């Protein structure tokens, strides 16, 4: 069950204590994707991860340190667009998304992300809700959430979408 974010009126009550929520992880990828943040790429393109994975089967990835030669890049883009074009993905959008989520794991890089900021709302020693001040972005998997002083580990639900600033963001926090 997910607890709704409480209203501003409830947040201002003097009997509530706000405790910062600690987020960790949330950047794991599906083993099928070989380190690619497919859920984020697919979300930004407006397709499901399965549709993107199917399109990517026709791609021959280049060495991440060297990059593709022009002929490889053209062939890979043609393979992607032949599958993704029917979903409204344009060459320009594919370039935007690919460039935004490009990173080199061997250099200990990570794709762009913004950490979430949230507070547990505590009343009479019990968590009664959560206030998400910044939903973050770039989470490819559900981060671990802890509230200092509490044994329970709440769960988050993530949202994916075309806007980079909200793609892979925390939608809600609950049990």
């Amino acid at each position: 069950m997910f607890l709704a974010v409480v209203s501003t009126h409830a947040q201002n009550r003097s009997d509530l204590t706000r405790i910062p929520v600690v987020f960790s992880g949330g950047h794991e990828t599906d083993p099928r994707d070989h380190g690619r943040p497919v859920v984020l790429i697919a979300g930004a393109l407006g397709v499901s991860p399965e549709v993107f994975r199917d399109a990517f089967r026709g791609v021959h990835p280049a060495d991440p340190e060297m990059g593709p030669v022009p002929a490889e890049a053209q062939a890979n883009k043609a393979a992607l667009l032949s599958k993704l074009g029917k979903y409204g993905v344009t060459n320009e959008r594919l370039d935007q998304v690919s460039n935004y989520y490009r990173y080199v794991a061997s250099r200990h890089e990570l794709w762009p992300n913004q950490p979430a900021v949230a507070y547990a709302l505590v009343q009479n020693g019990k968590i009664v809700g959560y206030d998400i001040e910044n939903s973050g972005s770039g989470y490819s998997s559900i981060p671990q959430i802890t509230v200092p002083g509490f044994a329970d580990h709440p769960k988050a639900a993530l949202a994916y979408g075309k806007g980079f600033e909200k793609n892979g963001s925390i939608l809600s926090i609950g049990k």
Side-chain angles (χ1 to χ4, degrees):
M1 177 175 116
F2 283 89
L3 299 174
V5 176
V6 251
S7 70
T8 304
H9 173 70
Q11 293 172 30
N12 291 330
R13 290 180 37 184
S14 61
D15 60 340
L16 288 178
T17 302
R18 290 168 37 105
I19 299 176
V21 170
V22 178
F23 295 92
S24 57
H27 302 107
E28 293 73 29
T29 59
D30 188 303
R32 296 175 290 176
D33 301 330
H34 306 283
R36 289 177 205 87
V38 166
V39 294
L40 295 169
I41 295 167
L45 292 173
V47 300
S48 71
E50 292 73 27
V51 165
F52 184 79
R53 285 183 189 108
D54 180 54
F56 202 81
R57 285 186 186 98
V59 169
H60 300 287
D63 180 309
E65 298 290 332
M66 303 284 294
V69 298
E72 289 174 318
Q74 287 177 331
N76 287 340
K77 187 176 278 192
L80 288 168
L81 287 173
S82 73
K83 299 276 187 160
L84 297 173
K86 62 185 166 190
Y87 296 94
V89 177
T90 64
N91 181 58
E92 293 77 20
R93 184 60 180 167
L94 183 60
D95 283 347
Q96 282 179 321
V97 172
S98 297
N99 289 336
Y100 188 81
Y101 288 111
R102 190 177 319 278
Y103 77 106
V104 181
S106 64
R107 293 185 194 150
H108 306 290
E109 294 176 0
L110 187 62
W111 52 85
N113 63 86
Q114 174 69 42
V117 176
Y119 293 87
L121 302 173
V122 178
Q123 184 177 46
N124 298 324
K126 295 185 180 175
I127 296 174
V128 296
Y130 295 90
D131 176 17
I132 301 171
E133 285 196 359
N134 180 336
S135 58
S137 66
Y139 290 106
S140 57
S141 61
I142 297 173
Q144 181 178 359
I145 300 173
T146 55
V147 178
F150 290 84
D152 291 343
H153 292 283
K155 302 287 183 206
L158 299 177
Y160 297 98
K162 290 184 177 184
F164 294 128
E165 67 283 346
K166 291 290 183 186
N167 193 19
S169 62
I170 304 293
L171 179 64
S172 60
I173 301 172
K175 294 182 181 190

